[in-house]
Amino acid sequence: MSPRFILKTTVWFAFSTLAFSNLASAAPSYTDLAAHYSTTACAIPCVKPPQVNDWYFWRSENRVEIRDATQDVGEIWRRDGKNRLSFVYVEPAHKRGIEYNDTDLRILNHKRSWEQLASIVSPAELEKLSRAGETVVLGHKAQLYNGKIDKRTIEVVWVPDLQLAAKVTNTYPDRQVTTEIKSFLNSQDGIAATSDDLLANYELVDFTDLGDMETKESMTWLKHAAAAPGHETHEH
């Protein structure tokens, strides 16, 4: 499957299928964690094998990284002390990427709620759903929520002590999409977030320079970075 499908469709089903809302309570704090998620999508009645994509998720207080399991593409989000977001589209296998600042993200309409980035589903969005019970996920107590927004039925498994959605199922009239945590990552998995030192050795291009850089023979890869925000803007 293409990086465009993995990053723009599969992963972001987890982040964009619930409507954005403003937090009514104090902003939560986030413990560091690393997790392996899987997203499955099927056309209802889901009799054919679903499309399955695995991806990794790293979170700290002011940083979130998402990377597809093939290591082909990823996203690194940061927020500063003024809650401004920056974003890096990365291709880890090739050690290259595209950097976006807060203004770039706003112009491209690629802004995200930090609470949703860090939690998959923000606490404020849970307020739109009904509490439906309790369960245990990977040793953590979890709460079950469900509800309906527009034509979507939504089910969420929420781990309050981690401020994290462990499972999100969106059922539409024509398809069902489920994002679920498979495990927490540790050093034995041999998979780590992209450190700042490693990122410093990447070939990084500023988004505002894309138009000029794409004309260079050595930078032709930019034309094929289909999963990068604003890619269509610079296609020739």
Side-chain angles (χ1 to χ4, degrees):
M1 295 180 184
S2 70
R4 177 186 292 272
F5 177 81
I6 293 171
L7 210 63
K8 282 194 172 181
T9 304
T10 302
V11 172
W12 286 113
F13 267 124
F15 298 131
S16 62
T17 48
L18 292 175
F20 289 107
S21 59
N22 293 321
L23 286 174
S25 57
S29 60
Y30 302 103
T31 57
D32 293 0
L33 62 83
H36 170 198
Y37 274 86
S38 182
T39 296
T40 61
C42 65
I44 290 176
C46 294
V47 293
K48 295 182 179 180
Q51 294 175 316
V52 181
N53 287 281
D54 285 11
W55 47 283
Y56 304 117
F57 174 82
W58 292 273
R59 182 191 74 185
S60 57
E61 183 66 26
N62 294 303
R63 189 183 191 277
V64 168
E65 180 174 353
I66 302 159
R67 190 190 309 160
D68 78 283
T70 68
Q71 309 285 329
D72 286 337
V73 290
E75 301 186 349
I76 299 172
W77 293 85
R78 297 190 185 95
R79 67 170 176 174
D80 64 16
K82 296 183 179 179
N83 286 321
R84 293 174 300 196
L85 298 187
S86 61
F87 170 84
V88 187
Y89 160 83
V90 291
E91 296 182 354
H94 302 287
K95 291 183 170 52
R96 62 196 185 195
I98 304 171
E99 296 181 298
Y100 302 75
N101 61 32
D102 190 76
T103 300
D104 298 330
L105 296 173
R106 185 170 60 253
I107 292 173
L108 294 171
N109 195 30
H110 199 70
K111 293 279 286 185
R112 295 289 185 264
S113 156
W114 185 259
E115 289 72 26
Q116 195 161 25
L117 282 169
S119 299
I120 312 298
V121 173
S122 76
E125 287 155 349
L126 289 182
E127 296 178 1
K128 300 179 180 180
L129 307 177
S130 299
R131 182 81 172 267
E134 296 181 350
T135 188
V136 176
V137 176
L138 299 177
H140 293 268
K141 292 182 179 180
Q143 302 165 345
L144 306 178
Y145 291 84
N146 60 36
K148 191 168 185 178
I149 298 177
D150 298 326
K151 297 182 179 180
R152 288 183 287 116
T153 299
I154 305 163
E155 300 176 12
V156 176
V157 180
W158 176 257
V159 182
D161 66 332
L162 297 178
Q163 290 291 300
L164 183 72
K167 184 176 182 180
V168 184
T169 299
N170 286 273
T171 303
Y172 302 80
D174 61 341
R175 68 192 188 280
Q176 184 177 79
V177 182
T178 298
T179 292
E180 183 175 11
I181 194 170
K182 308 305 290 185
S183 66
F184 292 108
L185 300 175
N186 56 50
S187 58
Q188 295 179 344
D189 292 304
I191 304 165
T194 306
S195 67
D196 288 342
D197 287 342
L198 183 59
L199 193 62
N201 291 317
Y202 275 36
E203 181 180 22
L204 296 177
V205 178
D206 191 285
F207 173 72
T208 56
D209 295 330
L210 284 192
D212 295 330
M213 298 295 288
E214 284 179 347
T215 61
K216 296 184 178 181
E217 186 175 351
S218 62
M219 304 299 288
T220 55
W221 67 270
L222 292 168
K223 296 181 180 180
H224 306 290
H231 175 266
E232 296 83 359
T233 303
H234 292 276
E235 284 186 328
H236 298 286

